Amino acid sequence: MNWQLLYNLPYFHFRRGNPNFDLRGRQDKALRPCSVGPAAISRYLRHQRAARPNVSPTKTLLYQLEVTLWSPRLEREERERRFLQEDFGIDPVDLDSIQATNTSDVSTSPPPGTSKRAPQSIIIGVRKGGTRALLEMLDIHPEVAAAATEITIEKTPGYFTSPLAPERICAMNSSIKLLLILRDPTERVISDYTQVYFNRLENHKPVQAIENLLVRNGVLNMRYKAIQRSLYDVHMRNWLRHFPLEQIHIVDGDALIRDPLPELQKVENFLNLQPRIAPSNFYFNQTKGFYCIRSDGRERCLHESKGRPHPVVNNSVLHQLRAFLREHNRTFFRLVRRTFNWQ
């Protein structure tokens, strides 16, 4: 991967935490990328300044959107395949310095305070598997936090289910270490639904009961993407075509929530990090019902959107979903040569 070339590309790719939003104000159910030039960025910043005068629009943009440089050729390929996950991890840029200019005005050097280093490790997924929790907890480690000199970790949950990501990441760095965090696939489906459900409520959009999405005409709706994302064996085969199993460390997402330290110690070992994460870095928050982080004299918990209550699912539908996923789970266990305590 030619990182110098990527810094010369004139297009910027954005994806907000809310999947039904893009910079052009469209609501896009297909979750397609929004690739825009500096003019659209400037329009967005002006809008943010007018709508929220007391909040830095740049800070809002950086926190709400993932920012990467985006090749128009890759954009076309992604649009054809309807996937989002080719946004390689490049450090955020100072968007206030970007003007509505042409390609020749884009600097060949990274902005001050950033670098062009490719990640040494990538958290490849899975969506709603605990990727944010894993990244926040790894941030405790001083060698991970000091990314400019030590381990750089990028997180994109969509990589795991992308048919294109394994080959391209391998082309970028065939020896990269991959972190994959998984949870019970049935619970992951329900959590996936829950996130979309609350997003739609917040945007005043109609919602459906989960049973209506899971089952159509008495059979499981295999077109429902939440189910497709939980077919771990299907996606794992694609990764194993490009990477040996020894380069992929699987974090038990359910165990990470119950007792973070043992799982994080395994990650430290996998990344060849000195053991620095300790029991004192965690405390159980009775109100939230999960562990929070204590580091550098500060205490912090995951965003309030994490740990939302799941809907009660019809027992018959739940049994149907679990029965279907069970065989896929067995195949996955054989592929990775270990088992998990999934129902």
Side-chain angles (χ1 to χ4, degrees):
M1 174 60 63
N2 188 332
W3 297 96
Q4 182 72 29
L5 175 61
L6 281 177
Y7 264 95
N8 289 329
L9 291 174
Y11 290 87
F12 292 82
H13 170 66
F14 301 93
R15 188 168 78 248
R16 191 174 184 226
N18 179 351
N20 298 308
F21 175 87
D22 70 21
L23 282 182
R24 287 169 287 191
R26 301 183 312 179
Q27 293 184 346
D28 194 343
K29 296 181 180 179
L31 305 185
R32 294 174 183 170
C34 169
S35 293
V36 296
I41 297 170
S42 297
R43 287 196 301 271
Y44 178 83
L45 294 176
R46 287 198 299 271
H47 171 77
Q48 287 296 313
R49 287 192 183 98
R52 306 177 68 185
N54 297 324
V55 179
S56 164
T58 303
K59 182 177 180 181
T60 301
L61 190 63
L62 291 178
Y63 273 98
Q64 292 181 344
L65 306 170
E66 294 177 4
V67 182
T68 58
L69 294 171
W70 187 255
S71 159
R73 179 180 62 81
L74 294 184
E75 180 196 356
R76 289 195 298 272
E77 293 179 8
E78 284 299 282
R79 187 167 60 248
E80 292 168 1
R81 298 174 185 260
R82 301 170 69 93
F83 279 94
L84 299 171
Q85 293 87 19
E86 299 307 307
D87 43 345
F88 288 104
I90 301 175
D91 293 326
V93 297
D94 181 3
L95 294 179
D96 271 341
S97 66
I98 299 174
Q99 304 298 324
T101 56
N102 56 33
T103 305
S104 62
D105 295 320
V106 179
S107 172
T108 60
S109 300
T114 67
S115 70
K116 298 180 187 176
R117 294 188 63 192
Q120 283 86 13
S121 180
I122 298 179
I123 301 174
I124 60 174
V126 64
R127 170 183 162 115
K128 305 310 297 176
T131 57
R132 171 53 57 184
L134 177 59
L135 189 64
E136 292 281 348
M137 291 174 180
L138 285 176
D139 188 56
I140 296 170
H141 199 292
E143 294 179 38
V144 172
T149 58
E150 298 296 341
I151 297 293
T152 306
I153 296 179
E154 184 227 336
K155 173 191 80 77
T156 301
Y159 280 154
F160 181 57
T161 57
S162 166
L164 305 176
E167 181 179 5
R168 290 184 176 165
I169 292 176
C170 184
M172 176 187 74
N173 182 357
S174 61
S175 62
I176 196 167
K177 293 189 173 184
L178 304 173
L179 294 170
L180 172 62
I181 180 167
L182 300 175
R183 63 190 293 195
D184 184 310
T186 301
E187 292 300 315
R188 199 220 63 80
V189 170
I190 299 171
S191 183
D192 201 324
Y193 164 84
T194 302
Q195 181 181 35
V196 175
Y197 174 86
F198 279 101
N199 283 339
R200 293 182 69 86
L201 283 183
E202 290 167 3
N203 287 277
H204 310 290
K205 302 185 72 173
V207 295
Q208 296 188 60
I210 188 171
E211 292 84 356
N212 295 339
L213 294 169
L214 289 173
V215 176
R216 296 282 171 86
N217 299 320
V219 298
L220 280 181
N221 176 20
M222 291 308 303
R223 298 185 63 183
Y224 184 33
K225 289 191 176 182
I227 295 178
Q228 295 174 12
R229 295 185 188 108
S230 280
L231 304 181
Y232 297 159
D233 60 322
V234 174
H235 307 302
M236 193 67 188
R237 281 196 184 97
N238 192 26
W239 284 92
L240 291 175
R241 292 188 185 102
H242 302 279
F243 293 95
L245 184 59
E246 292 72 26
Q247 272 179 243
I248 307 174
H249 177 72
I250 302 174
V251 179
D252 187 332
D254 299 307
L256 184 75
I257 297 302
R258 290 193 306 268
D259 188 7
L261 186 59
E263 288 299 314
L264 292 170
Q265 289 173 332
K266 295 173 187 175
V267 175
E268 285 180 320
N269 183 62
F270 174 70
L271 296 177
N272 297 318
L273 295 170
Q274 292 295 318
R276 297 289 185 83
I277 302 176
S280 59
N281 290 125
F282 304 98
Y283 67 97
F284 190 79
N285 187 305
Q286 296 287 348
T287 302
K288 292 181 175 293
F290 51 78
Y291 281 90
C292 295
I293 298 167
R294 183 183 291 116
S295 177
D296 299 325
R298 297 183 298 112
E299 295 182 352
R300 65 184 190 276
C301 293
L302 296 177
H303 189 268
E304 61 184 12
S305 64
K306 307 298 182 182
R308 283 169 169 163
H310 288 181
V312 177
V313 185
N314 176 277
N315 281 335
S316 175
V317 173
L318 193 60
H319 175 77
Q320 192 174 356
L321 177 62
R322 283 191 172 131
F324 170 74
L325 291 174
R326 195 167 292 127
E327 187 57 39
H328 284 277
N329 295 344
R330 293 192 188 104
T331 303
F332 177 76
F333 297 160
R334 290 194 294 269
L335 287 173
V336 300
R337 301 197 287 272
R338 62 181 285 196
T339 59
F340 294 83
N341 188 28
W342 299 334
Q343 295 187 38

